[in-house]
Amino acid sequence: MIINCEIVKKIQAHDRKVILELYKQTFNVLMSAAVQYKNNREDQMHIVNTSFLKIVTGIHHYKIGTAYFSWAKKIVSNTIIDDFRKNKNYKALFEVDSIIEDHGMEDESEIDNDIDKEALQKILDTLPPATKLVFSLFALEEYSTKEISKDLDISYETVKWHIKEARKRLRKLVHRSKKIVEQ
């Protein structure tokens, strides 16, 4: 389905057949973005359905001729950020000031690039929720550290700490899995 003026008008007119077809074609893209941030299926479906509702109600914001799926993935990212903010205790997840002072902020090298996407997702799922969110926005969605800081309303240093912590944990897990494979 190509999203053109006619399709947009049908969606705005609440044409169920067109909306259902759009959902079917968009589902895998939305779900693949949701699984990067949420571990359980119920939470993933909540993100997918909330995002799709935002797509349908905000279809007038879509610029015809641009990449629809990129626009949809951005909506998923924003929905995940909004969902994370709704958690009353989300600020507590980011309180790492004492950890930053204890461990410093030295730079560490990147993890190896020879890991497949499925293995990476399994490793990401082992990260604490706040660290997973920050690292996924940074590494997978290519948000800048300043954008993450602003969007999540946390300090720049906290964003850097979560990225560093994720890299450290990922590196350990990758090296541990490589040792198992070599044996």
Side-chain angles (χ1 to χ4, degrees), residues 120 124 134-143 148 163 167:
L120 176 62
L124 285 175
V134 170
F135 187 74
S136 294
L137 288 171
F138 178 77
L140 303 175
E141 300 298 323
E142 298 179 358
Y143 277 57
I148 297 168
I163 292 168
R167 285 178 173 159

Side-chain angles (χ1 to χ4, degrees), residues 7-66:
I7 297 296
V8 169
K9 286 178 185 176
K10 286 182 179 183
I11 292 169
Q12 289 174 324
H14 306 291
D15 183 324
R16 290 181 183 197
K17 187 176 180 181
V18 172
I19 292 171
L20 180 60
E21 184 60 32
L22 182 65
Y23 184 80
K24 287 177 184 177
Q25 291 190 13
T26 307
F27 180 83
N28 287 337
V29 171
L30 299 179
M31 183 56 82
S32 69
V35 299
Q36 294 174 1
Y37 299 96
K38 297 292 185 176
N39 293 343
N40 84 33
R41 184 74 169 171
E42 186 176 313
D43 291 342
Q44 293 165 356
M45 287 303 299
H46 172 73
I47 293 298
V48 167
N49 291 329
T50 302
S51 298
F52 189 74
L53 180 61
K54 288 179 180 181
I55 288 169
V56 170
T57 58
I59 196 71
H60 60 280
H61 293 295
Y62 171 70
K63 292 184 176 95
I64 295 174
T66 61

Side-chain angles (χ1 to χ4, degrees), residues 62-150:
Y62 171 70
K63 292 184 176 95
I64 295 174
T66 61
Y68 167 75
F69 290 120
S70 295
W71 180 70
K73 285 173 83 173
K74 184 70 173 173
I75 290 173
V76 174
S77 296
N78 290 336
T79 301
I80 290 163
I81 290 169
D82 291 345
D83 184 66
F84 206 77
R85 284 182 183 157
K86 284 180 187 175
N87 178 352
K88 292 179 182 175
N89 299 322
Y90 99 93
K91 282 282 198 182
L93 293 171
F94 292 105
E95 291 177 2
V96 294
D97 293 335
S98 61
I99 298 171
I100 291 171
E101 290 171 10
D102 292 345
H103 292 92
M105 291 298 295
E106 70 277 353
D107 290 333
E108 294 190 26
S109 61
E110 298 292 324
I111 63 170
D112 294 330
N113 291 327
D114 61 349
I115 186 168
D116 68 24
K117 190 173 183 176
E118 187 176 314
L120 176 62
Q121 188 60 51
K122 286 180 182 177
I123 292 170
L124 285 175
D125 289 344
T126 67
L127 296 174
T131 302
K132 179 181 178 183
L133 175 64
V134 170
F135 187 74
S136 294
L137 288 171
F138 178 77
L140 303 175
E141 300 298 323
E142 298 179 358
Y143 277 57
S144 72
T145 50
K146 288 181 183 179
E147 289 173 316
I148 297 168
S149 174
K150 181 182 173 216

